[in-house]
Amino acid sequence: MKLFYAPGACSLGIHIILEEIGVPYEAQAVNLREGEQFKPAFLAVNPKSKVPALLLDHGEILTEWVAIAGYLAATNPQARLVPEDPLEWARATEIMVYVNSYMHGQGFSRIFRPDRFAPNPEDKDAVRAEGRRMFAEGFALMDERLGDKDFLLSHYTIADVALFYVSYWAEGRQTLTLPPRVAAHYARMKSRPAVISAMNAEGLA
Ligand SMILES: N[C@@H](CCC(=O)N[C@@H](CS)C(=O)NCC(=O)O)C(=O)O
């Protein structure tokens, strides 16, 4: 398998899942700052111009964080990265879709790329503020969901990895102060060997 990633992007979560599973894989960086995602070589990998993309051993390419994470977890059951109970499985998906589509796609994107939401430059600050509100709203819900548990569900799953990548954007990039239980979850995640390896590989230590 080959992971197409950008250091510190949401693809960090897939990098972590690959490390958790312990299967052999290659990782190829895509330089988003220089617009490599819009160049023909990468468009052939993912015409949506986004990382992560995962080239599977039989040649198919999988895109979308939630789909890739679910595929890796389902094909590596020994890693126990999803709950066995179907309702808990659906809860994991519920969390990942919320993190990926709302917190990331709506909230953080407004903070990081306000120009994509505000054609008029004078609206950028308002767009950023709305993004911060949405991002914080998501963390508050995750904080409640964690309660007094170490992980979001009955054990560590790919939903925790989804929460980790947005927590990294909040804490690591100093966008927002994490609420206490999410901050403890972030610290817990950072001590996992798979997280340490993926972060080191991306030069984020
Ligand atoms: N829905 C996509 C979103 C992926 C995404 O937004 N990736 C960002 C990095 S975190 C990206 O590649 N951005 C490049 C761009 O938008 O130009 C997924 O879940 O995989």
Side-chain angles (χ1 to χ4, degrees):
M1 285 189 287
K2 189 200 267 191
L3 171 68
F4 293 86
Y5 77 100
C10 57
S11 44
L12 171 63
I14 304 300
H15 216 152
I16 291 169
I17 294 168
L18 285 164
E19 288 292 325
E20 294 284 3
I21 287 167
V23 289
Y25 68 94
E26 283 174 61
Q28 186 173 314
V30 179
N31 193 330
L32 299 182
R33 278 180 199 186
E34 290 191 1
E36 204 184 329
Q37 71 272 37
F38 302 113
K39 303 226 167 102
F42 187 73
L43 287 174
V45 173
N46 185 2
K48 292 179 277 188
S49 297
K50 304 278 184 199
V51 292
L54 186 69
L55 171 64
L56 304 177
D57 290 338
H58 57 275
E60 276 192 51
I61 292 170
L62 202 50
T63 65
E64 297 298 330
W65 201 100
V66 176
I68 300 171
Y71 173 82
L72 289 172
T75 49
N76 294 276
Q78 75 292 345
R80 289 190 75 238
L81 289 175
V82 276
E84 278 161 31
D85 174 68
L87 180 57
E88 280 260 292
W89 220 128
R91 291 273 174 233
T93 309
E94 185 180 47
I95 293 167
M96 291 188 293
V97 169
Y98 180 75
V99 167
N100 182 257
S101 67
Y102 186 74
M103 295 180 70
H104 164 185
Q106 295 292 333
F108 188 74
S109 294
R110 275 179 170 74
I111 304 170
F112 191 59
R113 303 247 196 208
D115 46 304
R116 290 189 176 172
F117 295 83
N120 299 321
E122 64 269 23
D123 293 337
K124 274 192 195 168
D125 285 348
V127 168
R128 274 201 201 94
E130 177 61 0
R132 267 192 292 275
R133 188 199 63 73
M134 293 167 126
F135 208 36
E137 180 191 4
F139 282 118
L141 273 174
M142 292 297 126
D143 203 58
E144 215 171 285
R145 172 118 215 143
L146 273 165
D148 56 10
K149 303 191 300 302
D150 282 356
F151 298 110
L152 287 159
L153 296 164
S154 52
H155 64 82
Y156 174 69
T157 68
I158 49 180
D160 293 291
V161 183
L163 178 57
F164 177 78
Y165 88 72
V166 284
S167 299
Y168 170 70
W169 289 346
E171 192 80 17
R173 296 189 185 180
Q174 294 166 350
T175 315
L176 187 134
T177 303
L178 293 172
R181 291 173 287 203
V182 179
H185 178 267
Y186 180 67
R188 203 170 290 124
M189 289 291 298
K190 276 190 92 177
S191 68
R192 292 184 74 85
V195 175
I196 295 168
S197 300
M199 291 189 81
N200 282 341
E202 295 197 5
L204 306 173

